[in-house]
Amino acid sequence: MNPTLPGEPVGRTRPVVVLVGSPGSGKTTVGEMLAALLGVEFRDTDADIERMAGKPIPEIFVDEGEAHFRALERAATAAALTSCVGVLALGGGAVLAEENRAALVGHTVVHLSVELPDAVKRVGLGAGRPLLAINPRATLKHLMDQRRPLYAEVATATVVTDGRTPQEIAAEVAALLKP
């Protein structure tokens, strides 16, 4: 039996909430806490991609390139949106694909917003993040500026994460989900 929230139909086949945001916004950390609060599963499409590829994301970028990674990301997003029944965290760049943005229509999508100083503190400067390998601070700023309008496009709500603990953020998102 699929887990449901109070007031949700039995047999839910879609995520309770989808988290989007820049690297360092807290999608995984907050998502895990939120799922625990709600008593539902947590799923991260980056982890799905690593399972599908049989290797870590940085190796996918090195071995097959970004285009291959983005194709895996589109497939992982499509699969997760139709099979995850809990909290779903999408990779930071998932919103770049038009088909992913279209697939998010009708879902509850929360944009975890973060500004550059907090993002840098949280992600460090590039460790394990292939797009941040060269000039990480400038690259992260560029990615954030490029993606912010796309996060806003797909979001049904935005939660500011700067200067806040993951517990505070998870509690705010949980409160947004109550009927």
Side-chain angles (χ1 to χ4, degrees), residues 55-158:
K55 61 177 107 176
I57 289 172
E59 288 183 25
I60 299 168
F61 270 77
V62 169
D63 296 346
E64 287 90 22
E66 184 176 358
H68 179 73
F69 169 77
R70 295 296 174 203
L72 293 174
E73 185 174 57
R74 288 189 301 276
T77 299
L81 287 172
T82 59
S83 62
C84 176
V85 295
V87 175
L88 175 62
L90 297 186
V95 296
L96 295 171
E98 173 60 39
E99 55 263 53
N100 288 344
R101 294 193 309 274
L104 288 168
V105 172
H107 287 273
T108 300
V109 180
V110 175
H111 170 209
L112 298 181
S113 174
V114 64
E115 296 303 323
L116 187 61
D118 274 34
V120 168
K121 284 182 216 168
R122 293 175 188 169
V123 301
L125 292 176
R129 297 186 187 254
L131 291 179
L132 301 181
I134 300 170
N135 196 354
R137 189 177 181 88
T139 302
L140 183 56
K141 181 182 182 333
H142 171 74
L143 292 176
M144 292 171 75
D145 291 346
Q146 173 193 39
R147 296 171 181 178
R148 191 176 313 270
L150 301 175
Y151 298 136
E153 176 187 324
V154 300
T156 54
T158 297

Side-chain angles (χ1 to χ4, degrees), residues 11-71:
R12 169 183 268 289
T13 59
R14 58 192 292 133
V16 172
V17 63
V18 180
L19 302 177
V20 299
S22 298
S25 63
K27 297 179 300 290
T28 301
T29 303
V30 170
E32 289 171 341
M33 289 181 181
L34 178 61
L37 275 174
L38 300 175
V40 297
E41 73 170 313
F42 171 73
R43 187 160 166 190
D44 185 325
T45 56
D46 282 349
D48 291 351
I49 292 166
E50 289 183 338
R51 271 192 304 282
M52 286 180 353
K55 61 177 107 176
I57 289 172
E59 288 183 25
I60 299 168
F61 270 77
V62 169
D63 296 346
E64 287 90 22
E66 184 176 358
H68 179 73
F69 169 77
R70 295 296 174 203

